[in-house]
Amino acid sequence: MAGSAAGVVRRFVFLTGAVAALDFVYGALFVVQLRSLGIDPASIGALFAVITGVGMVLEAPSGALADRWGHHRTAATGLFLWGAGQALFGLANSLPAVVPALVLWAAGQSFFSGAPTSAVVNHLREIGREDDVAHALRRAQVSRWLSSGAGAAAVLAFGATFPASALLAVSGALMLPLAVMVFRSFPSTSGSPHRSVAASLKAALLYVRTHRLAACIMISAGQGMAMGALILGWQPILLDSELAEPQLLGIALLLFTAACAVGAWANRYAPKNAPLAWAAIAVLLLTVSLWTAGSTNALAWPGLVLAEFFLGLAGTSVYIWQQSLFSDELRNTLFSVMATVSGIAVATGDFLFGHLWNTIGAAGAVQAVALCAAAVTTLGWLTGAGRTTTQPAAPGA
């Protein structure tokens, strides 16, 4: 890579990893923090339904704003809001203080989502380094999973010494200098600086239809459903079957994040001329692994490890494929549209799993969601079979 391109990619990989590690602290401790404030489970569920709704409402418009206002500006603003919200959440001492903190957190995530990727991909294409895009995205995904493992290790190491509130506040505060780094050192790119947010959203929906992205949408949805079931289901499967003690779940999480990182790295061997088939096969292997994990106690551990491996492989394959289909002018808007679809799919998987868990158990619920995800993915593969979708030309090409 040229010096400029190499520096941009290094900063992108570092940012992806750092944010993943700090976000993992939140993911590991948010329930602990809420329960320590005396907030009951029903209120926690209602609170996160509202927060998820805020994120979903802001996701697509924030992508269109990034294409208009500038990717690095939107990413820096989003990361600042995210970090501030996470820090304030750690400092909150009551439900009235928690709500605005988490609204800020959700808004920041929506603004940040996709913006660094769009800045890096558009920059590489603008300087004629289009062949480096897949390599950069793959490195970022490997960094994401390895850093999530580092976040898990940090929670294990410091969780017994420091309260959850302190770890949340510190992790949020550490995002603030990262926001400054993004603003000062990421490439200044934008997709459609003269197009309004509403016009960008309308153009993105037209682009989805005219460029036949239905297959990508369905396979992304299948991956999202499977991921939701895996995230919610792995602990109940191991605990209900007495295959792991509660104190060993942290070690299991380190193993699983390592498997995801290896899966993301394995994408380097994916055939470049068949992204549709490769993404679909990776997601289907994820669903088969999930089914296996829920089949018998003897296969639970190997099934879950394989599922995490294929989650890393499928997530990276779909991520790179999506970026190859997006136009530079609407890159962040289209990313946010896909993120909205994936969010709905994850929520659907979560809902199905939670509903079925009460009736057929965690293992059966995981298997049922895996079947649904496999059906959606197969339909997407069949929809896209025989259609050729080329990558948009670089600006000025």
Side-chain angles (χ1 to χ4, degrees):
M1 287 189 199
S4 173
V8 168
V9 171
R10 279 196 300 269
R11 289 190 289 274
F12 176 52
V13 171
F14 169 76
L15 176 72
T16 303
V19 171
L22 296 173
D23 181 48
F24 191 94
V25 175
Y26 168 85
L29 298 175
F30 74 93
V31 172
V32 176
Q33 169 71 351
L34 292 171
R35 294 294 288 151
S36 72
L37 298 177
I39 301 174
D40 62 90
S43 297
I44 291 175
L47 172 64
F48 274 90
V50 172
I51 298 305
T52 300
V54 170
M56 296 287 284
V57 168
L58 291 177
E59 180 64 47
S62 66
L65 176 65
D67 281 330
R68 175 180 173 85
W69 188 39
H71 302 131
H72 78 296
R73 293 191 188 95
T74 309
T77 301
L79 191 54
F80 187 89
L81 294 175
W82 182 355
Q86 189 157 315
L88 291 173
F89 175 55
L91 297 173
N93 56 12
S94 65
L95 182 59
V98 163
V99 173
L102 289 183
V103 167
L104 199 64
W105 172 87
Q109 280 200 331
S110 295
F111 277 80
F112 182 79
S113 171
T117 299
S118 297
V120 171
V121 173
N122 277 13
H123 175 71
L124 291 175
R125 286 168 58 79
E126 286 171 1
I127 64 174
R129 305 307 298 256
E130 186 172 336
D131 291 343
D132 293 330
V133 168
H135 175 69
L137 298 181
R138 186 182 308 112
R139 284 182 59 189
Q141 288 299 296
V142 173
S143 175
R144 169 195 173 191
W145 290 114
L146 289 176
S147 298
S148 293
V155 172
L156 285 173
F158 299 112
T161 305
F162 299 98
S165 57
L167 294 177
L168 286 163
V170 170
S171 62
L174 289 174
M175 289 186 181
L176 304 184
L178 290 177
V180 176
M181 182 201 78
V182 171
F183 183 77
R184 297 189 61 177
S185 65
F186 265 56
S188 178
T189 61
S190 59
S192 309
H194 305 297
R195 182 182 283 158
S196 69
V197 169
S200 288
L201 289 172
K202 183 177 179 180
L205 294 176
L206 179 64
Y207 188 93
V208 167
R209 187 173 74 250
T210 58
H211 288 71
R212 299 179 176 180
L213 299 189
C216 187
I217 289 173
M218 284 187 277
I219 292 172
S220 299
Q223 183 221 338
M225 290 182 67
M227 181 173 69
L230 178 57
I231 290 173
L232 281 184
W234 72 268
Q235 292 189 35
I237 286 176
L238 294 179
L239 293 175
D240 292 351
S241 303
E242 298 182 350
L243 295 172
E245 297 296 328
Q247 61 267 27
L248 297 178
L249 292 181
I251 297 175
L253 195 54
L254 289 175
L255 173 63
F256 292 157
T257 53
C260 281
V262 174
W265 171 83
N267 170 267
R268 65 183 299 176
Y269 298 107
K272 295 180 174 58
N273 59 348
L276 164 65
W278 184 256
I281 290 170
V283 177
L284 288 174
L285 289 172
L286 166 59
T287 63
V288 170
S289 301
L290 275 176
W291 174 271
T292 302
S295 59
T296 67
N297 287 356
L299 294 176
W301 271 107
L304 288 172
V305 172
L306 282 174
E308 296 286 354
F309 171 84
F310 286 119
L311 175 61
L313 177 61
T316 304
S317 300
V318 171
Y319 179 46
I320 293 173
W321 180 37
Q322 287 177 350
Q323 291 298 323
S324 74
L325 299 178
F326 298 164
S327 71
D328 293 337
E329 293 76 15
L330 293 168
R331 186 169 303 281
N332 213 153
T333 309
L334 290 164
F335 181 98
S336 292
V337 169
M338 288 294 186
T340 301
V341 170
S342 296
I344 293 172
V346 170
T348 302
D350 290 349
F351 174 80
L352 289 174
F353 176 84
H355 179 71
L356 294 172
W357 188 3
N358 286 329
T359 56
I360 61 176
V366 163
Q367 289 184 310
V369 177
L371 280 178
C372 293
V376 173
T377 301
T378 302
L379 181 60
W381 192 358
L382 294 175
T383 299
R387 294 177 176 176
T388 302
T389 306
T390 56
Q391 184 170 340

